[in-house]
Amino acid sequence: MVWGGVSFWRSLIQLDLIDEFRLDLHPYVAGEGTRLFDDVPKSYRLDLVSSTEFSNGTVGLHYRRHH
């Protein structure tokens, strides 16, 4: 498990070190932000394993690397 910003995650993706993502998305709008999966190789495919909607509007997403 790692915690970090988008640049850190992208570095790990580029090094092919991530097999799963578990993301909690919070309902917050602040204009345009940095996209997590921009500049990721097309060969780096992910499958959505599950999604959970919480009462506070947060959505939990679980992605696994497609092999």
Side-chain angles (χ1 to χ4, degrees):
M1 180 184 328
V2 297
W3 297 91
V6 174
S7 296
F8 179 61
W9 285 59
R10 284 186 187 162
S11 297
L12 295 177
I13 290 170
Q14 294 295 332
L15 294 169
D16 200 20
L17 295 175
I18 296 181
D19 292 320
E20 288 188 7
F21 285 93
R22 292 179 185 257
L23 307 168
D24 289 334
L25 301 178
H26 301 270
Y28 179 76
V29 177
E32 292 185 32
T34 304
R35 298 172 142 244
L36 177 60
F37 296 109
D38 276 357
D39 301 324
V40 173
K42 299 246 185 261
S43 61
Y44 198 91
R45 294 179 39 208
L46 298 169
D47 295 322
L48 179 62
V49 175
S50 66
S51 63
T52 306
E53 184 179 333
F54 299 99
S55 61
N56 65 355
T58 300
V59 176
L61 300 171
H62 177 196
Y63 289 96
R64 187 172 294 138
R65 182 84 186 268
H66 180 85
H67 291 282

